[in-house]
Amino acid sequence: MLEKNSHVMEQLMNTEERILNSSDLSEREVFLLRRTFEIAQEAKESGNHPFGCLLADKEGNILMEMGNREVTDHGDCTAHAETLLMRYASQKYTRDQLKDLIFYSCAEPCAMCSGALYWGNIRKVVYAGSEASLKELTGNDPRNPTLNMPCRIVFAAGQKEIEVIGPVADLEKEFLKIQENYWNPSKTKNR
């Protein structure tokens, strides 16, 4: 058992993040990521945390969109945009259909949302802002106790190949602008 666990840990540590720029993506992928920023802004304006995502087919047609609803869903801590979208998508599409769709998010999916994507059978994830950059920005704000858990690590612990594209440096800056003045940037540790 220990030998198997050490092999898994080695695999997890070798998950590679390649930082991209929008010039590395297609025009449609950039458009779709920027649409997730608009969804995040809409969520923020409705009183929710500023996150948004969407599901598209291989041609880039938007099939579903979702903003964060933690606040307006009466404090439901699982009402992250990504988890909600997967909840609805898994009711509309089969697991076989979901594996051919592409998930776009303004931010790197957290551990919970990565789990929802994994169980939903998504095989390609594209995101703009990294979890690490978000954690740096949000500090110890209790509304977003961000984990230092890249989605690649969560996916690597599973049994499926999931392509991950992100972060996208120039688009990450746009994403972080939406986050400004929302979080308490205190740098003291949560206890």
Side-chain angles (χ1 to χ4, degrees):
M1 184 66 166
L2 283 176
E3 186 175 309
K4 183 179 180 184
N5 285 343
S6 65
H7 174 70
V8 169
M9 287 307 294
E10 182 180 320
Q11 225 180 344
L12 295 178
M13 297 309 286
N14 289 328
T15 59
E16 189 176 319
E17 175 181 274
R18 182 175 157 242
I19 299 173
L20 306 167
N21 283 301
S22 58
S23 61
D24 297 315
L25 305 176
S26 72
E27 284 183 37
R28 187 65 183 167
E29 288 173 314
V30 172
F31 170 82
L32 293 170
L33 283 174
R34 284 200 169 115
R35 176 63 192 136
T36 68
F37 301 166
E38 293 169 358
I39 299 165
Q41 184 63 41
E42 292 164 8
K44 183 179 179 180
E45 290 168 2
S46 71
N48 286 293
H49 303 332
F51 298 102
C53 61
L54 62 84
L55 193 61
D57 63 20
K58 288 181 179 180
E59 289 75 40
N61 298 306
I62 298 172
L63 305 173
M64 299 181 102
E65 298 181 338
M66 184 60 63
N68 183 289
R69 293 196 331 220
E70 273 187 80
V71 176
T72 56
D73 278 6
H74 309 291
D76 178 355
C77 63
T78 67
H80 290 197
E82 300 90 339
T83 294
L84 287 172
L85 187 139
M86 284 313 302
R87 225 175 263 153
Y88 295 122
S90 66
Q91 294 169 12
K92 184 172 182 171
Y93 301 102
T94 67
R95 292 173 51 78
D96 202 43
Q97 290 170 320
L98 285 167
K99 78 175 169 49
D100 293 325
L101 302 179
I102 304 168
F103 188 88
Y104 291 85
S105 183
C106 63
E108 180 175 8
C110 73
M112 174 182 72
C113 294
S114 295
L117 294 167
Y118 176 84
W119 289 109
N121 211 28
I122 293 295
R123 300 299 175 97
K124 183 174 181 180
V125 175
V126 183
Y127 70 88
S130 73
E131 186 84 344
S133 293
L134 182 64
K135 184 177 181 188
E136 187 177 315
L137 177 77
T138 63
N140 75 337
D141 190 309
R143 297 172 295 170
N144 194 46
T146 305
L147 295 169
N148 185 16
M149 178 66 65
C151 67
R152 285 172 172 81
I153 300 253
V154 175
F155 297 147
Q159 300 177 50
K160 305 173 190 176
E161 288 292 322
I162 300 175
E163 181 183 3
V164 179
I165 298 172
V168 183
D170 52 337
L171 295 179
E172 181 175 64
K173 290 175 186 170
E174 291 179 41
F175 162 67
L176 292 174
K177 281 252 183 251
I178 299 165
Q179 305 295 312
E180 284 180 0
N181 303 318
Y182 186 83
W183 305 103
N184 174 3
S186 173
K187 298 296 182 192
T188 59
K189 283 267 193 208
N190 272 341
R191 299 237 187 251

